[in-house]
Amino acid sequence: MPIFMDRHDLAGASAADVAEAHLKDLSIQDQYGVKFLTYWFDHRRGTTFCLIDAPDAETAQCVHREAHGFVAGEVVEVALSAVEAFLGRIQDPEAAGLSAKEMDAGHRAILFTDIVGSTEMTSRLGDRMATELVRAHDALVRGCLSQTDGREVKHTGDGIMAAFPSTAFAVDCAREIQREFQRYNAGNGEPIHIRIGLDCGEPVEDSNDLFGTTVQLAARLCAAARSDQILISENIFREYDNAAVFTHGMRHHLKGFAKPVLAYQCEWLNA
């Protein structure tokens, strides 16, 4: 059966309310041939996301309607592999050891790295040497991800895409990545310069894709960044506690976005 993720707007609900509704779904799911795999709850935004194995979206909605009446405002089909890559779990919060206080909101920050001039680097150095430099990039980035709760989603060939449960972790990781490359370049004759882009968002968006717009914007900001630069979105700017690290806010014309997008440069040299 296909896998669906839905989105509920439940302003004013508590973690206990959502947990109770989930148990009601589980109590009648077998009658509809549906399996509710897990859920995420964002108290601050008043949103809940459910992951459901169901014949179709309407059948999943029927369970919600009968069990507690909280019908989803949006339902999209997703791939389990994508859910696990972005969100990190596909089992119930209790099985993951999460208490109500620690409830995962499902909100994620997305980070892209990109090696500047990778095509020229391959032409100049040859495939073998260029591959070794990419491996050096991968090792440095993955080391920083492991220290900041980052999850590698995929390798892009000359960069890495990663997801974070916390905007603060994502920004701190991006800054540490640039500092690591600064240290690396100080001791190597063939330097590696990278650029980084960041955005954050919810699992289900208007594009009917898991983190669709968020991923696109993070990738476009990475492409727009200069060598050794970090560009962050307005969403990141609003959520990060220390706005002092962001400078030079300006609008960028980005491919795939009809209107200019406001972005900020993230300082990392004087951290």
Side-chain angles (χ1 to χ4, degrees):
M1 288 194 296
I3 304 296
F4 297 92
M5 179 173 279
D6 66 18
R7 183 184 194 275
H8 302 258
D9 293 310
L10 300 175
S14 67
D17 294 332
V18 175
E20 182 180 359
H22 180 63
L23 289 175
K24 290 179 178 178
D25 286 328
L26 296 180
S27 69
I28 68 167
Q29 63 181 5
D30 292 344
Q31 300 173 29
Y32 290 85
V34 170
K35 183 174 179 59
F36 281 78
L37 303 174
T38 189
Y39 68 94
W40 293 263
F41 174 58
D42 190 334
H43 180 270
R44 184 163 70 90
R45 297 176 179 83
T47 53
T48 298
F49 307 94
C50 301
L51 188 66
I52 315 154
D53 188 349
D56 51 62
E58 182 53 35
T59 304
Q61 289 279 52
C62 285
V63 177
H64 283 321
R65 191 177 294 113
E66 180 179 333
H68 45 66
F70 298 142
V71 178
E74 184 178 11
V75 186
V76 299
E77 188 171 347
V78 297
L80 270 182
S81 58
V83 174
E84 191 166 23
F86 282 107
L87 298 175
R89 66 174 172 86
I90 53 175
Q91 75 270 33
D92 265 353
E94 293 79 5
L98 296 174
S99 67
K101 186 177 180 180
E102 301 168 324
M103 184 63 65
D104 185 350
H107 190 78
R108 291 291 185 271
I110 304 297
L111 174 151
F112 276 87
T113 69
D114 179 62
I115 299 175
V116 177
S118 59
T119 301
E120 180 276 332
M121 181 180 72
T122 301
S123 176
R124 177 169 53 86
L125 300 175
D127 290 341
R128 183 175 179 180
M129 184 60 183
T131 298
E132 290 303 313
L133 292 178
V134 171
R135 287 176 178 168
H137 159 275
D138 296 348
L140 289 178
V141 172
R142 286 166 179 160
C144 292
L145 291 178
S146 68
Q147 297 171 24
T148 51
D149 208 15
R151 174 181 292 270
E152 182 176 340
V153 176
K154 67 177 180 179
H155 196 281
T156 62
D158 51 6
I160 283 176
M161 174 186 177
F164 298 79
S166 160
T167 297
F169 286 168
V171 173
D172 293 345
C173 183
R175 300 173 78 196
E176 184 57 29
I177 287 172
Q178 290 291 17
R179 290 194 290 267
E180 281 293 322
F181 278 100
Q182 183 185 46
R183 288 188 281 268
Y184 174 89
N185 292 339
N188 286 274
E190 191 62 50
I192 303 173
H193 295 280
I194 69 164
R195 49 193 165 210
I196 298 175
L198 288 167
D199 187 30
C200 60
E202 297 179 337
V204 180
E205 299 189 338
D206 292 339
S207 60
N208 281 347
D209 189 16
L210 194 68
F211 286 97
T213 304
T214 301
V215 169
Q216 294 167 19
L217 181 52
R220 295 306 183 196
L221 289 175
C222 180
R226 299 190 302 273
S227 180
D228 305 323
Q229 189 180 57
I230 303 168
L231 279 185
I232 63 101
S233 68
E234 188 175 10
N235 292 328
I236 296 283
F237 178 84
R238 289 174 176 172
E239 292 194 11
Y240 192 67
D241 289 336
N242 184 9
V245 303
F246 304 135
T247 61
H248 304 105
M250 63 179 294
R251 296 193 178 276
H252 296 255
H253 292 275
L254 303 177
K255 183 179 179 181
F257 290 84
K259 298 180 180 179
V261 175
L262 180 60
Y264 297 83
Q265 183 175 330
C266 179
E267 300 296 338
W268 56 270
L269 280 170
N270 298 320

